[in-house]
Structures are given as structure tokens and as C-alpha cells.
């Protein structure tokens, strides 16, 4: 009887593991599809004449809150001034 319980537990655990793996694989595929879509949008923007490096910088900045952006900009300004770049 104990062997039946252990076998059932292992079967359930294997089923759960398989389900997690399959979910992750599907999500990885979706992530790749989204990354390809983003790449296409950047290519389209570049074809229209936009600077994609600047666009990436803007996107990175927009992810931060205002206080974090201001702190980063003030440190950058301080470093530039220390190096005689302003």
C-alpha cells in the first residue's frame, strides 16, 4: 500500500513538473514572438528616419519613476562636470 502511495505521488509530481515545463516553453515561445515584433517596430521606425538608440534610451527612462530619473540625471551631470564635459 505504501508503494502505491509513493508511485501515485511520483506520478502526480511528474505530471506537475511536465505541466510547469510545458507552460514555460509556451511562454518562452510567446516571448520570442514578442521580441521579434519589437525588432520589427524598431526596424520600421529606423526606416522612417528615427534614431533607434535614442528611442531605446527614452523607453528605458520611461520605465523609471521621476525621482529615479532626476537622481540619475543629476549624478550624470555631476560626473560630466567633474570631467570637464559641460
Amino acid at each position: 500500500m505504501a508503494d502505491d502511495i509513493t508511485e501515485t505521488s511520483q506520478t502526480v509530481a511528474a505530471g506537475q513538473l511536465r505541466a510547469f515545463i510545458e507552460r514555460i516553453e509556451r511562454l518562452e515561445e510567446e516571448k520570442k514572438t514578442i521580441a521579434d515584433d519589437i525588432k520589427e517596430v524598431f526596424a520600421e521606425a529606423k526606416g522612417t528616419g528615427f534614431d533607434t538608440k535614442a528611442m531605446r534610451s527614452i523607453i528605458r527612462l520611461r520605465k523609471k519613476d521621476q525621482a529615479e530619473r532626476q537622481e540619475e540625471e543629476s549624478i550624470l551631470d555631476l560626473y560630466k562636470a567633474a570631467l570637464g564635459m559641460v
Side-chain angles (χ1 to χ4, degrees), residues 34-81:
I34 290 170
D36 289 343
D37 291 347
I38 291 170
K39 187 176 178 180
E40 286 179 24
V41 171
F42 275 113
E44 184 180 338
K46 186 174 184 175
T48 307
F50 289 99
D51 182 335
T52 56
K53 186 175 179 181
M55 289 174 61
R56 289 180 193 278
S57 293
I58 295 294
I59 291 167
R60 196 168 33 256
L61 287 171
R62 286 174 53 122
K63 288 179 182 178
K64 300 176 184 179
D65 65 20
Q66 185 176 358
E68 191 177 2
R69 281 195 310 265
Q70 287 176 339
E71 179 182 356
E72 187 177 301
E73 288 173 9
S74 63
I75 291 172
L76 188 59
D77 289 343
L78 177 68
Y79 287 4
K80 284 192 226 176

